[in-house]
């Protein structure tokens, strides 16, 4: 949990990118004290932890804060770091506007879709600001995913609650081409896909991860225990990552 794991996880996406010279920031839509958030994110490699109170919003009513607030904060931080240091950046933004509770005075599903539409428009606005204005603009990758389905959806099979949609965009099309997966992909593999797309590789672990994706029906927990153990051993002995992209 976020209270017992700080300091015990060494192989994280934020730490990997930080070791490659990235400035790492997380924007958290709830209070920094919620689930020990500030200490947790610091422990897994984030240089800067921005919470709702840092943006002037009431953390106890987190669902009433539009996602646009956090997207604009991300854009502002990216511009500040770019001007101050010019370092590459990894910004992880958590959004929560679609989360319950939903207004019971109307159809809760309609309320969920209303919020989703507003968030989608704000996200597309953010994507438009990332489109290079010149040939010398910095390349970028954006990946988005959900941690669970809305509680409004009644799944008889509870395991389906955690099957969500994910995708990623990048401009320009640089780095290693990534295989497109038509079947569900375990979120445990998403880090490797993002790093590969960024041109950041670790020869010790990449081949094994691709073997796991092919052999385990895209589900980490479907992998044989000995294959998972080999993966864990590789992570412990892999050392620092080195960027190979442009």
């Amino acid at each position: 949990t976020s209270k017992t794991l700080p300091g015990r996880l060494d192989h994280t996406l934020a730490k990997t990118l930080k070791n490659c010279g990235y400035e790492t920031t997380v924007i958290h839509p709830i209070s920094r004290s919620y689930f020990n958030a500030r200490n947790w994110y610091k422990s897994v490699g984030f240089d800067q932890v921005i919470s709702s109170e840092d943006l002037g919003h009431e953390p106890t009513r987190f669902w009433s804060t539009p996602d646009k607030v956090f997207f604009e904060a991300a854009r502002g931080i990216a511009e500040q770091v770019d001007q101050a240091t010019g370092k590459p950046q990894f910004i992880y933004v958590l959004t929560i506007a679609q989360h319950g509770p939903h207004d019971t005075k109307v159809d809760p599903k309609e309320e969920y879709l209303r919020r989703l539409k507003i968030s989608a428009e704000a996200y597309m606005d953010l994507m438009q600001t990332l489109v290079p204005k010149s040939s010398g603009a910095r390349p970028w990758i954006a990946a988005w995913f959900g941690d669970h389905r809305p509680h409004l959806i009644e799944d008889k099979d509870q395991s389906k609650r955690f099957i969500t949609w994910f995708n990623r965009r990048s401009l320009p099309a640089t780095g290693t081409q990534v295989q497109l997966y038509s079947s569900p992909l375990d979120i445990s593999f998403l880090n490797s896909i993002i790093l590969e797309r960024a041109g950041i590789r670790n020869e010790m672990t990449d081949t094994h991860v691709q073997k796991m994706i092919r052999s385990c029906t895209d589900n980490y927990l479907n992998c044989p225990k000995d294959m998972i153990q080999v993966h864990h051993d590789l992570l412990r002995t892999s050392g620092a990552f080195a960027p190979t992209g442009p």
Side-chain angles (χ1 to χ4, degrees):
T1 67
S2 56
K3 292 188 177 182
T4 60
L5 287 179
R8 298 179 62 185
L9 294 180
D10 291 325
H11 187 81
T12 68
L13 183 57
K15 282 189 176 182
T16 297
L17 293 172
K18 187 173 181 177
N19 289 338
C20 292
Y22 281 67
E23 187 84 12
T24 57
T25 301
V26 58
I27 299 177
H28 185 248
I30 314 178
S31 170
R32 66 177 71 91
S33 62
Y34 186 75
F35 278 114
N36 197 29
R38 185 180 186 281
N39 292 335
W40 161 253
Y41 285 118
K42 285 283 188 179
S43 78
V44 295
F46 286 98
D47 298 309
Q48 186 174 197
V49 180
I50 305 296
S51 298
S52 58
E53 57 263 56
D54 298 315
L55 301 174
H57 288 267
E58 175 56 56
T60 60
R61 291 186 56 80
F62 53 82
W63 63 87
S64 65
T65 304
D67 290 340
K68 182 178 180 179
V69 169
F70 306 111
F71 294 149
E72 290 181 345
R75 182 165 48 203
I77 290 169
E79 292 174 351
Q80 291 174 14
V81 173
D82 199 37
Q83 293 173 5
T85 68
K87 294 174 66 175
Q89 300 175 61
F90 170 51
I91 302 178
Y92 177 39
V93 182
L94 290 85
T95 62
I96 203 166
Q98 291 88 50
H99 202 286
H102 297 92
D103 191 348
T104 57
K105 295 179 181 179
V106 296
D107 183 343
K109 291 183 180 179
E110 289 184 6
E111 172 63 8
Y112 170 79
L113 293 173
R114 183 189 70 83
R115 296 188 200 177
L116 181 61
K117 180 176 183 294
I118 294 172
S119 294
E121 291 172 349
Y123 183 81
M124 293 312 299
D125 286 344
L126 176 64
M127 292 297 98
Q128 288 301 313
T129 66
L130 294 176
V131 174
K133 299 294 190 283
S134 67
S135 59
R138 189 189 296 274
W140 56 266
I141 297 171
W144 59 97
F145 60 92
D147 60 343
H148 64 79
R149 296 187 188 187
H151 292 295
L152 299 170
I153 298 176
E154 297 180 2
D155 289 312
K156 293 181 179 180
D157 181 355
Q158 288 298 303
S159 65
K160 291 183 178 180
R161 285 188 55 212
F162 302 99
I163 298 178
T164 67
W165 184 79
F166 86 91
N167 209 334
R168 56 118 180 94
R169 293 182 61 189
S170 60
L171 281 176
T174 57
T176 306
Q177 291 297 318
V178 177
Q179 178 183 356
L180 297 179
Y181 300 94
S182 57
S183 59
L185 183 73
D186 195 302
I187 196 172
S188 300
F189 299 129
L190 188 54
N191 283 5
S192 296
I193 292 174
I194 293 173
L195 290 170
E196 186 178 11
R197 185 60 178 152
I200 299 174
R201 300 184 60 82
N202 181 343
E203 297 300 336
M204 290 186 68
T205 60
D206 284 352
T207 301
H208 190 71
V209 168
Q210 292 301 323
K211 181 179 179 181
M212 292 174 74
I213 292 174
R214 292 192 301 269
S215 304
C216 308
T217 322
D218 300 325
N219 188 328
Y220 186 82
L221 296 179
N222 283 345
C223 294
K225 290 185 178 180
D226 58 343
M227 181 176 281
I228 293 178
Q229 185 60 54
V230 169
H231 181 57
H232 290 177
D233 291 341
L234 287 171
L235 294 181
R236 281 193 290 269
T237 60
S238 61
F241 282 62
T244 59

